[in-house]
Structures are given as structure tokens and as C-alpha cells.
Amino acid sequence: MVKITVPATTANLGPGFDCIGVALTLYNRFEFTPADTLQIDVRGEGQELVSRGTDNLVYQSFCYLYAELGQTPPPIHLEIKMGIPLARGLGSSATAIVGGLMGANHLAGQPLNTSGLIDLATQIEGHPDNVVPALLGGCHLAAKNGDDWHIGKISWHPSLIPVVAIPNFTLSTEVARSVLPATVSRQDAISNIARFGLLLRGLETGCEDWLRVGLQDSIHQPYRQTLIKGYEAVHAAAMAAGAYGMVISGAGPTVLAITHADEANAVATSMESTWRRLGIEPQIHILSMDTAGARSLI
């Protein structure tokens, strides 16, 4: 039996649209046991939404690696323990992809190194901003040059605390992308470039002023926030309580505030109470950046 634990991720971070991702201390867990026939069991929040058939994303990713090796995947008993809500912008699909690939790699005798796993995960997901931090942990920036992806690790100051507020409704990536404009103005592009530079320096140093500016965005958040009931009110409450900024996590509807450790409880309480006043029951988590990434236990 192989046990794989994979962290949640948050992508975009304001102006870092489609290029930056961070691993967080929420987890999905996957157990792979050789069996006579395929069996998939799922436990945890949202278990009723997860397929028990061959179209299960964990199993499809498991089979993808064996196909790359030119081998037939063995029958397995797959047990999934859900700790990350589905379709909320916290990288649940990335955990499934990484978990399936790592489980297959271990059962196949580990023919692929980390770089090979990143390549396959990116092929399946289509981009690396969630799968790379899910696999490696930490904060990472991804840029494409031709057909090649280049990954750079981003420093994260230890004083910075991510607070996530997960509302009790879902938002599909397809819908979130459908509201984005096909083009952006030169002014918005320049603004985002400058803010992203400040964001990177703010993450490295913990500088409040740089983060307050660097977490702002003109390219995707103004459009996507209209899909999230209460976004403006929750944003205002988080900022008033001491957050440096609040962003949409991935495609949403989860929102993520970054704050100092001393203010984390106040920020979490204000975000939760604001959404509840609007009739929305959120889950609130004061988290840390996961630095270990996906790990296995045999």
C-alpha cells in the first residue's frame, strides 16, 4: 500500500493571474492498494460529488503515468480522504492529479523523478500554477517559453499568514473564465506588471505597504468578484481588521486574505461574521504555507 498526502493550493494572488501558486496547510489523502479489480472509496466533505468509476481524476492520472511508460495499470483499491472542498478555488483537481501520478510512480518502482512528475502533471492540468506547489510545496512562479515551462521558487516571509474563507457555494472555473474580457488596456497591463513586482518583494520582506499595493489587480478580479456574493463587504471587513489584502483564491469562490500573525484571528472573525450576516455560511481557516508538498508513506 502507498499513502500520498497532497496540500491544497491557491493560485493567482491578485496580479499574479495564471502564473503563481502557493501550497497551503489543507490536505487530501490518497491510499493505493493492489487489488483484484478497481475499487474506489471516498470519504470526507463533498464525497458524493466524486466519481467511483474509471473517470475519477485520481485514477485517470494514475493510468496516465502507466500509459507514458507503455504499461498496463494494475487494478487497485483507491481510497480518497477529502480535506479540501471541491470547486472552491483551492486546487482540489491538482491534488487529484499529483496524488494519482505519485501513487502510480511508487507502484511502478519510481521510474520518474520530480521533474518528470511535474511534466506529466502540467500536461494533464494544462498549466503548472497549481500542480507545482501541490507537488513541491512553497510558492512558485511559472512562465512559458515556447513549449517549455520555467519554474521559479518565490520567497515567503514567515510573518505572513494566509486566511481562507470558503463559502458554501461552488463556482466552476469555466464560468469564472467566461466573464473575463478578451483584451485588456495598456494601462491595466502596466499597472499589473508594477503591482506584481511589488507583490514579489512584499512576499519576500513582509513589507505591509508593498503588499497592500501588490495584492491589487486590474485583469481578472474586478470581473470575477461579481460572481461571488458579498465579495466587497468581506473585502472591506478583512481590510478593516488588519489584512494587507484580500484576493480570490484560484477561480473562486474562496477568498484569501494575507495578514500578519498578530491580526490573523481578527481578520478571520471579521470575514466569517460578514458573510454570515449575508446569509452565507463559510468555513474559515487560518493556515500556513505548506513547505513539504506532496509526500508519500509506504
Side-chain angles (χ1 to χ4, degrees), residues 47-61:
Q47 62 183 17
E48 69 281 359
L49 302 175
V50 180
S51 171
R52 272 71 168 175
T54 56
D55 60 338
N56 178 284
L57 184 55
V58 182
Y59 182 68
Q60 287 186 329
S61 302

Side-chain angles (χ1 to χ4, degrees), residues 3-212:
K3 297 181 180 181
I4 309 292
T5 298
V6 189
T9 53
T10 183
N12 297 333
L13 285 187
F17 181 53
D18 271 3
C19 66
I20 192 170
V22 186
L24 301 173
T25 49
L26 283 176
Y27 302 94
N28 282 339
R29 293 176 169 85
F30 311 95
E31 296 183 5
F32 301 82
T33 306
D36 294 329
T37 59
L38 174 65
Q39 179 184 347
I40 300 176
D41 295 322
V42 187
R43 291 187 290 154
E45 182 183 357
Q47 62 183 17
E48 69 281 359
L49 302 175
V50 180
S51 171
R52 272 71 168 175
T54 56
D55 60 338
N56 178 284
L57 184 55
V58 182
Y59 182 68
Q60 287 186 329
S61 302
F62 180 89
C63 294
Y64 193 92
L65 185 139
Y66 275 97
E68 288 293 310
L69 298 176
Q71 300 178 16
T72 301
I76 55 166
H77 175 201
L78 169 61
E79 185 172 352
I80 302 172
K81 300 177 181 178
M82 305 281 294
I84 303 168
L86 289 169
R88 306 294 173 85
L90 287 169
S92 60
S93 63
T95 70
I97 292 167
V98 170
L101 291 175
M102 285 189 64
N105 200 46
H106 276 275
L107 292 181
Q110 300 198 58
L112 296 185
N113 59 19
T114 299
S115 178
L117 291 173
I118 289 174
D119 288 344
L120 291 191
T122 302
Q123 289 174 30
I124 298 171
E125 180 82 340
H127 48 84
D129 53 347
N130 279 305
V131 293
V132 168
L135 185 61
L136 301 180
C139 180
H140 295 270
L141 176 65
K144 197 170 188 180
N145 182 30
D147 293 331
D148 299 325
W149 285 99
H150 297 267
I151 309 297
K153 188 173 183 180
I154 303 301
S155 297
W156 183 283
H157 196 273
S159 69
L160 300 179
I161 300 298
V163 179
V164 297
I166 310 167
N168 59 346
F169 57 86
T170 62
L171 176 60
S172 75
T173 300
E174 291 76 16
V175 171
R177 285 199 177 273
S178 72
V179 300
L180 300 182
T183 61
V184 298
S185 69
R186 180 185 300 174
Q187 180 180 351
D188 284 345
I190 293 171
S191 176
N192 262 41
I193 292 169
R195 289 168 177 167
F196 190 62
L198 279 181
L199 173 62
L200 297 182
R201 293 290 290 130
L203 292 175
E204 178 184 7
T205 63
C207 176
E208 176 180 350
D209 290 341
W210 288 346
L211 287 166
R212 284 187 179 276

Side-chain angles (χ1 to χ4, degrees), residues 234-246:
V234 174
H235 180 270
M239 299 301 289
Y244 300 150
M246 191 188 87

